[in-house]
Amino acid sequence: MTRTTRLRRVLTVAILLGIVAGTIAIPTAVAQSDERAGGTVVVEEGETVDEIETFAGNVIVRGTVTGDVSAFAGNVHIEGDVGGNVEAVAGNVEISGTVDGDVSGAGGNLVVAEGATIGGSLEAGAGTVEIDGTIEGDAAIGAETIRLGENAAIDGDLRYGGTLEGNTDAVAGTITEDSRIGVGTEPTLQPITEWLFAAYAFVMNLLLGAALLALFPRFSADVARRVATDPVRTGLAGLGVLVGVPILLVAIAITIVGIPVSIVGGFLFGLLVWIGVVYGRFAVAAWLLAAAGVENRWLALVVGLLGGAILGLIPVLGDLINFVILLLGLGALSIGLYARRRQTRETPTPAQTGGPAAE
């Protein structure tokens, strides 16, 4: 091994460790918080988190959230306690626990069940609103149907737009019909955190991609070439790795001795998938730019990562395209690593050729 090769490997390890440490540092800084795009966030009974912010994901709180709960394009179920506010856009809201702050909901149905308590005000623009719990502040509701149950209690005033039904004696203050309160037009939510995390993910991917292109230019070029020349075989290889490796790790973990190996393997596999994502976006962009007569690997990296981030904003179709790009990148990376390992094993050592011994 030459001195240059050793230095290159040391630099690679240092950069990758720094990037991985950066991805760990951010979640640690917001300990016990959950920011997520997609999926379901569940706070189990007895569990406590600081705050929850989701995009296109459901939220179920059975335990305690000391801060706010914000959800965009997902349903929210509060069965436990929320110390801050609850904001939901384009999703249903059901509260059967306690919210100390305000509740805002737009674009879905809203239910305040019997025994539930909202310590602040309620603002809702929804299809149907049912209230059978307690609202200690004012309520401004725009809905096709607003039902007040026998156990409902609104300590403040009620402004509404739509059809009001049920126990109007539940309102301690004044009841005012206001046609300006439209269905689904009251609260709005600006998912600024999602954009911040998207920017953070782009920067981390860019750093990783720059390290890969700078330290392994020939290998990176081979990855792009495989994607461009044989995308079907490369994508199938990526699918095989994505499915096969987790199965193998689970099989290893079944044995007690294999648990540590499985844990380390899971970490390495996660890193491999991450590199596959970056390589896939780089390779596809390089392919498209080459078709347009542009040959620049750095431009391909930036264009590929930006394109992948934009695709992530498109529901369903964007996720599907990004998944295919992941398979291409993971497949090309896996084939390249296997070919490199095979070449290394088949290359004779100095001792085998009768040459001078290696240092």
Side-chain angles (χ1 to χ4, degrees), residues 109-182:
N109 299 322
L110 186 144
V111 175
V112 181
E114 180 180 352
T117 300
I118 298 175
S121 62
L122 169 66
E123 293 185 354
T128 300
V129 174
E130 298 182 7
I131 299 175
D132 206 21
T134 299
I135 301 173
E136 297 180 354
D138 298 328
I141 304 171
E144 294 177 2
T145 304
I146 305 166
R147 299 189 184 97
L148 301 180
E150 292 299 322
N151 300 297
I154 300 177
D155 296 342
D157 299 329
L158 170 63
R159 289 192 307 118
Y160 74 95
T163 302
L164 179 63
E165 301 177 351
N167 179 24
T168 55
D169 293 335
V171 182
T174 60
I175 300 177
T176 305
E177 183 177 5
D178 189 347
S179 59
R180 293 174 300 176
I181 305 178

Side-chain angles (χ1 to χ4, degrees), residues 37 55 281 306-319 321-322:
F55 181 87
R281 296 179 180 183
L306 281 176
I310 294 173
L311 285 172
L313 300 176
I314 303 175
V316 184
L317 180 60
D319 293 336
I321 296 175
N322 268 333

Side-chain angles (χ1 to χ4, degrees), residues 87-89 103-107 122-126 140 182 184-189:
E87 295 180 322
V89 174
V103 173
S104 300
L122 169 66
E123 293 185 354
T185 60
E186 278 290 311
T188 57
L189 178 67

Side-chain angles (χ1 to χ4, degrees), residues 8 205-206 208-225 278-290 293-306:
R8 175 178 291 182
N205 287 338
L206 185 62
L208 176 61
L212 293 171
L213 294 186
L215 298 173
F216 307 104
R218 184 177 300 176
F219 183 85
S220 300
D222 289 341
V223 167
R225 178 184 55 78
V278 174
Y279 262 148
R281 296 179 180 183
F282 157 72
V284 171
W287 184 7
L288 296 176
L289 288 175
V294 179
E295 299 283 349
N296 189 309
R297 57 177 181 166
W298 299 108
L299 179 61
L301 177 63
V302 175
V303 170
L305 294 180
L306 281 176

Side-chain angles (χ1 to χ4, degrees), residues 9 42 45 53 71 97 121 183 185 190 249 290 343:
R9 292 188 177 182
V42 180
E45 186 175 354
E53 296 186 9
S121 62
V183 176
T185 60
Q190 299 177 351
L249 293 175
Q343 180 182 3

Side-chain angles (χ1 to χ4, degrees), residues 324-348:
V324 173
I325 293 175
L326 163 63
L327 295 183
L328 291 172
L330 186 60
L333 173 62
S334 301
I335 293 173
L337 292 176
Y338 176 76
R340 185 64 59 89
R341 181 175 181 272
R342 185 176 179 181
Q343 180 182 3
T344 302
R345 293 181 61 181
E346 293 178 353
T347 301

